[in-house]
Amino acid sequence: MNTLESLKWRYAVKKFDNKKELTQTQINTLKEAFNLTATSYGLQPVKLLIIKNKELQNTLVPHTWNQRQVLDASHVLVVCVPKSFTKEEVAKYFSLVKNIRQTPDEVINPFKEFLTNEIAQKSQEELFLWNKNQAYLALGNLLTVCALEKIDACPMEGFNPEKYDEVLELDKQNLRSVLVLPVGYRAEDDFMKDLKKVRKETQDVILEYN
Ligand SMILES: Cc1cc2nc3c(=O)[nH]c(=O)nc-3n(C[C@H](O)[C@H](O)[C@H](O)COP(=O)(O)O)c2cc1C
């Protein structure tokens, strides 16, 4: 399948086949793809939880507007961002740059100072919203990779983040849940499976300035 065929094959799965499981190789591809997502300044203020535990998945159903996909899916991915985001994250990022690229301090320091100030000027709520944008980007990347890898998925914001945070004890990890992505295989009798895609005409969503 070429890229566009894969993207047309993908749809938001309403019913997963609860008998089929993804392989560890497939999950590893998703892990790597998540980590390769572009983020603002490269700070990677996102974490991915991977749940494969039917009991836990069942507990999450009522906190997901009773959407059964989180129970029937092979794995449930939860994209999270830090609850509290501080300049320490900037320091960690630059020490990683230094380790990996051996970038000298005189190159790093001005940029580090700029970014540290940027973070210091923003409230935790502003930083949360900024980081949340990165979570959506990660979700988009995962969705495309799923399509290319023939992994079925359903992007979800129809869940109660506070309840997820409570059940998954995310507070302890300084995390907040932002998005949910059950992954696995579409059920043969998913009513959405063979429906036509509903999309505007491309000329209605694209403006070309030549
Ligand atoms: C951010 C986001 C949140 C979504 N939340 C849900 C959800 O909670 N439950 C669901 O069944 N579908 C959800 N969807 C799926 C959309 O309804 C679906 O992507 C859209 O109707 C287009 O259909 P398609 O993805 O099948 O092409 C969500 C999609 C996105 C991008």
Side-chain angles (χ1 to χ4, degrees):
M1 271 195 202
N2 67 28
T3 305
L4 288 182
E5 280 169 353
S6 294
L7 292 177
K8 286 175 188 166
W9 171 87
R10 184 209 66 75
Y11 74 104
V13 171
K14 292 291 173 280
K15 187 175 179 191
F16 283 90
D17 185 334
N18 62 10
K19 305 239 157 24
K20 288 193 188 161
E21 281 188 6
L22 295 173
T23 62
Q24 195 51 48
T25 308
Q26 287 171 305
I27 294 296
N28 288 344
T29 301
L30 296 183
K31 286 183 186 175
E32 286 287 319
F34 175 78
N35 201 32
L36 287 168
T37 300
T39 56
S40 188
Y41 296 110
L43 290 173
Q44 294 187 271
V46 280
K47 282 214 175 151
L48 187 67
L49 257 64
I50 303 181
I51 303 170
K52 185 183 181 297
N53 175 321
K54 286 296 170 198
E55 200 182 322
L56 186 53
Q57 288 171 241
N58 195 30
T59 309
L60 294 174
V61 174
H63 308 314
T64 321
W65 302 1
N66 286 322
Q67 301 185 89
R68 270 192 65 101
Q69 291 104 312
V70 292
L71 173 60
D72 293 331
S74 166
H75 295 67
V76 178
L77 313 186
V78 184
V79 186
C80 302
V81 300
K83 192 170 154 84
S84 142
F85 191 75
T86 64
K87 60 182 182 167
E88 295 309 313
E89 290 303 317
V90 176
K92 277 192 220 157
Y93 168 71
F94 283 103
S95 76
L96 195 60
V97 173
K98 216 174 147 181
N99 282 344
I100 294 177
R101 292 184 175 158
Q102 284 81 48
T103 313
D105 282 342
E106 54 270 31
V107 175
I108 283 185
N109 285 347
F111 191 31
K112 184 176 172 180
E113 203 175 311
F114 159 77
L115 213 45
T116 305
N117 287 337
E118 280 287 293
I119 304 271
Q121 280 165 25
K122 291 190 200 304
S123 68
Q124 280 302 315
E125 193 51 30
E126 284 173 317
L127 290 167
F128 172 67
L129 293 177
W130 186 32
N131 292 338
K132 210 171 165 180
N133 290 338
Q134 319 307 314
Y136 276 80
L137 200 54
L139 178 87
N141 188 30
L142 284 173
L143 277 178
T144 303
V145 171
C146 281
L148 297 172
E149 295 289 325
K150 292 288 158 297
I151 295 172
D152 279 307
C154 182
M156 287 184 163
E157 39 185 22
F159 73 106
N160 183 334
E162 288 78 22
K163 285 287 179 193
Y164 264 62
D165 296 359
E166 200 181 302
V167 170
L168 301 168
E169 301 187 336
L170 295 185
D171 214 34
K172 284 187 194 162
Q173 320 234 38
N174 185 34
L175 290 175
R176 287 171 76 171
S177 57
V178 172
L179 288 159
V180 177
L181 186 71
V183 290
Y185 291 92
R186 61 190 68 176
E188 271 305 315
D189 61 345
D190 183 358
F191 75 100
M192 291 291 273
K193 183 167 78 67
D194 300 313
L195 294 185
K196 279 188 172 174
K197 272 226 176 291
V198 179
R199 288 298 188 273
K200 295 175 181 176
E201 293 296 327
T202 31
Q203 65 262 29
D204 293 337
V205 295
I206 289 162
L207 297 174
E208 289 183 287
Y209 286 59
N210 294 319

